[in-house]
Amino acid sequence: MAVRAADSRFHRTSAWADVLHLHGLPDRRLCGGEVPVTGIRLFLLAGAGSAASLIAALGFQAAGYAPCELCILQRWPHVAAAGIAALIWLTGRVRALAVLGMIAAGAAMGLAIYHVGVEMTWWAGPAHCSGGVGDLSRMTTQDLMARLQSRPVVRCDEIAWQFMGVSMAGWNAILSAGLAGLWAVAARKGA
C-alpha cells in the first residue's frame, strides 16, 4: 500500500479557510470567532451540573422513588457546590472558591461511592437504614413494634432504580467525579 500526495485537481481548499482558527490550530475551526475556556465558564458549568443533579434527585423523588438516608446525605455537597457557584458569580473570586467547589463535589463523590458499596454489600452501611431491628429474641412485642415504626421505610442497601446496571448512587459518583474535575480546572484557570 502506497501513500501518495493529494491531487490538487480533486482536493481544494475549504470554503471556510477565512474562518478564525481556535488556538491557532488549522484543523479546529469555529464559525464566528474563538470561544475561550475560562474559569468563569467552567465554574458555571460545574455549578449548573450540581444544580441539575439536585433537580434530577427531586424529580425521582416526585416520581415515587423515596430517598434513603444516604441518598439525602449525598445531596448536601451538591447544595454547597451550587451555593459556591453562586458566590463566585457574585464575587468573581474563582480560584479560592473553585477549590471549595472541588472539595464539595469530591465529598459528594465519596458519599456516593460509600453508598454504592453499601448497595453492593462490599461493606456495612448505617445500622438504622441497612440492617435489621436488632436482637429479636430479647424484645417484647411492644419494643419490636416501636422499633419497626421508628426505622426509616427506605433501606440504604437496596437499589431502588438502576440504568445500564448502575444505581442512582453510582451515577451520582460518576457525575460528581466529573464535576470535581471541572472545579479543579476552573480553579487552575482562574478568572
Side-chain angles (χ1 to χ4, degrees):
M1 179 175 193
V3 178
R4 298 182 186 162
D7 188 351
S8 61
R9 294 176 294 173
F10 301 111
H11 301 280
R12 52 194 165 114
T13 60
S14 170
W16 294 94
D18 305 348
V19 177
L20 295 174
H21 302 295
L22 281 180
H23 306 291
L25 299 175
D27 58 335
R28 291 188 174 183
R29 297 183 184 129
L30 182 68
C31 297
E34 289 190 22
V35 179
V37 178
T38 63
I40 299 288
R41 286 192 173 98
L42 291 172
F43 94 77
L44 283 173
L45 186 60
S50 285
S53 175
L54 289 169
I55 291 168
L58 292 173
F60 273 102
Q61 189 172 343
Y65 293 97
C68 69
E69 184 176 330
L70 289 177
C71 293
I72 293 172
L73 193 60
Q74 291 172 60
R75 294 178 186 181
W76 288 108
H78 287 296
V79 169
I84 290 167
L87 278 175
I88 294 173
W89 179 262
L90 293 173
T91 65
R93 298 182 181 267
V94 176
R95 283 192 196 270
L97 291 174
V99 170
L100 292 176
M102 180 184 64
I103 292 169
M109 180 185 67
L111 289 168
I113 290 172
Y114 173 69
H115 193 181
V116 168
V118 170
E119 289 174 341
M120 302 302 287
T121 64
W122 293 337
W123 45 73
H128 54 277
C129 74
S130 298
V133 291
D135 189 12
L136 295 175
S137 63
R138 297 184 184 164
M139 289 185 180
T140 65
T141 306
Q142 291 80 17
D143 291 339
L144 178 61
M145 290 304 292
R147 186 156 305 170
L148 285 173
Q149 290 174 350
S150 69
R151 299 291 177 209
V153 175
V154 182
R155 294 178 51 110
C156 297
D157 57 354
E158 293 178 357
I159 298 173
W161 179 89
Q162 60 183 353
F163 178 67
M164 295 189 326
V166 180
S167 68
M168 282 190 267
W171 286 112
N172 186 23
I174 293 167
L175 173 74
S176 298
L179 293 176
L182 280 175
W183 280 110
V185 175
R188 194 182 85 222
K189 288 196 179 263

